[in-house]
Amino acid sequence: MTEEAILAFRRDFEAIEQEIGKAIIGQKTLIRDVLTAMVAGGNVLLEGLPGLGKTQLVKTIGKVLDLQFSRIQFTPDLMPADVTGTSVMIKDGEGMRMEFRQGPVFSNIVLADEINRATPKTQSALLEAMQEHTVTGGSTTYALPEPFFVLATQNPLESEGTYPLPEAQMDRFLFKLDVGFPNKEELLKIVMMTTTEDQQEPQKVCDGAKLLELRRIAQTVPIAEPVADYMMEVTLKTHPEYEGAPEDVKKYIRYGASPRGAQAIMQAARILALTEGRYNVSYEDVRAAAKPALRHRLFLNFEGIAEGKTVDRIIEALL
């Protein structure tokens, strides 16, 4: 890869960031992390209290990237067929036949709004789509449009009327990102922007083909053997039964990250290197990618929960 290609990647990435930033005040780290996951081809879980702009962020990304967008509002009475689609009986000149009617999951960006308010059965309807980018209806498998992403929002589990996502589904999110409350200056800008007619409408600066091209470039970034070894060591040390695991992991973690955790760190670290104008992955890139890639793949045991430990603190100590 030439220096020009690296500069072009960085320029395109920053142009997308800046355009999203016109409609989303603050949250610069959040915007960068979501874009990193999307360039890597992964799904993102956004967690935060209601009203912090999670849905607005996803809608803005859809406009800036000019991708087909659909929103599914997850509720306790939502059924799996409401997500994936269903087969219906059609009568025509040849008689009766079954036809598959596609659900809202057939889109480039699927906003799964408040995903943890639906029952586990409906949550699991997204598993195949998130991993395989396909939907099976009856005996036929249908391919989803590319690029395809699930950007899900959820309220903290302490909120009323929520169902925890199953571990298998959590593992299919490349990143889990915490959406924090804005500071006083950001809050004032948000209030002023949303209560006047002076709101800026984001413009298209990229499309699906360009996004796939950025992904292809990122996949060519080399990783030196010592850095790759460090990456694997970080993943293995999240397991309490691993001999080299830190004391906090052995004491407070029920079980650690799957191989998808290592894959997520590697994919994200390559993109972070390019955004810094480098054509090699550094230890710092691995550390920056580790927390969003691992925080939803580590599960506290009873002792960890009782003592008020957090997964983020344990990852920091591990790194």
Side-chain angles (χ1 to χ4, degrees):
M1 182 185 288
T2 63
E3 187 177 347
E4 287 180 10
I6 297 172
L7 292 173
F9 182 100
R10 189 177 186 181
R11 186 175 59 247
D12 291 336
F13 194 96
E14 289 178 351
I16 298 169
E17 266 188 312
Q18 290 168 8
E19 195 62 32
I20 294 170
K22 292 179 182 178
I24 305 295
I25 303 299
Q27 306 287 14
K28 289 184 179 179
T29 302
L30 178 67
I31 292 170
R32 171 156 287 210
D33 285 344
V34 172
L35 280 182
T36 298
M38 292 182 72
V39 171
N43 308 297
V44 181
L45 179 62
L46 301 164
E47 181 174 290
L49 293 169
L52 295 182
K54 302 184 295 295
T55 303
Q56 180 63 24
L57 171 61
V58 178
K59 289 167 71 175
T60 302
I61 289 171
K63 290 178 182 177
V64 172
L65 298 180
D66 194 32
L67 295 174
Q68 187 183 351
F69 171 87
S70 68
R71 174 180 177 176
I72 307 171
Q73 186 65 52
F74 279 71
T75 56
D77 60 348
L78 191 74
M79 299 299 290
D82 298 327
V83 176
T84 59
T86 187
S87 296
V88 296
M89 189 74 75
I90 300 293
K91 184 178 181 179
D92 56 21
E94 299 177 1
M96 305 292 287
R97 61 183 176 83
M98 296 296 290
E99 183 179 286
F100 183 74
R101 294 286 175 86
Q102 297 180 353
V105 76
F106 284 83
S107 192
N108 295 119
I109 297 179
V110 176
L111 168 57
D113 214 0
E114 296 187 303
I115 190 172
N116 60 335
R117 292 204 179 278
T119 59
K121 181 179 180 181
T122 303
Q123 292 173 3
S124 299
L126 279 173
L127 280 174
E128 181 187 354
M130 292 170 69
Q131 182 63 32
E132 311 294 339
H133 293 193
T134 58
V135 167
T136 301
S139 59
T140 307
T141 298
Y142 304 90
L144 294 168
E146 291 291 347
F148 174 79
F149 313 95
V150 172
L151 303 184
T153 71
Q154 74 169 8
N155 303 126
L157 291 179
E158 296 76 23
S159 301
E160 189 175 346
T162 58
Y163 299 84
L165 292 174
E167 289 88 345
Q169 186 156 15
M170 291 289 278
D171 201 30
R172 282 163 170 78
F173 287 103
L174 188 90
F175 276 2
K176 180 189 175 189
L177 305 174
D178 293 328
V179 184
F181 201 85
N183 60 36
K184 185 164 70 172
E185 184 181 341
E186 291 169 347
L187 183 61
L188 178 61
K189 288 181 180 177
I190 291 168
V191 172
M192 294 299 291
M193 188 179 78
T194 55
T195 56
T196 65
E197 296 180 357
D198 200 23
Q199 298 182 39
Q200 282 190 296
E201 192 68 24
Q203 303 298 312
K204 168 196 168 183
V205 297
C206 182
D207 58 20
K210 170 59 77 173
L211 198 65
L212 292 173
E213 175 65 14
L214 294 178
R215 184 185 306 172
R216 188 195 63 75
I217 293 170
Q219 288 171 343
T220 65
V221 175
I223 298 179
E225 192 172 328
V227 178
D229 185 69
Y230 173 67
M231 206 180 295
M232 298 309 108
E233 192 71 14
V234 166
T235 307
L236 287 170
K237 282 183 176 180
T238 63
H239 292 265
E241 67 275 10
Y242 183 62
E243 191 177 342
E247 206 53 46
D248 275 1
V249 171
K250 292 180 177 178
K251 189 175 181 181
Y252 300 119
I253 294 297
R254 182 157 43 104
Y255 54 90
S258 73
R260 286 195 186 100
Q263 290 171 339
I265 295 173
M266 185 172 287
Q267 289 172 295
R270 283 176 162 142
I271 295 164
L272 293 173
L274 287 175
T275 60
E276 295 297 323
R278 287 182 283 102
Y279 189 51
N280 65 290
V281 175
S282 70
Y283 291 104
E284 207 48 53
D285 297 324
V286 175
R287 294 188 190 102
K291 197 181 287 185
L294 296 179
R295 63 161 57 103
H296 56 302
R297 294 182 164 97
L298 274 65
F299 295 87
L300 295 170
N301 58 23
F302 179 78
E303 191 174 355
I305 296 169
E307 293 191 23
K309 299 295 179 180
T310 66
V311 169
D312 277 15
R313 289 283 177 86
I314 291 173
I315 294 173
E316 285 169 9
L318 187 153
L319 290 171

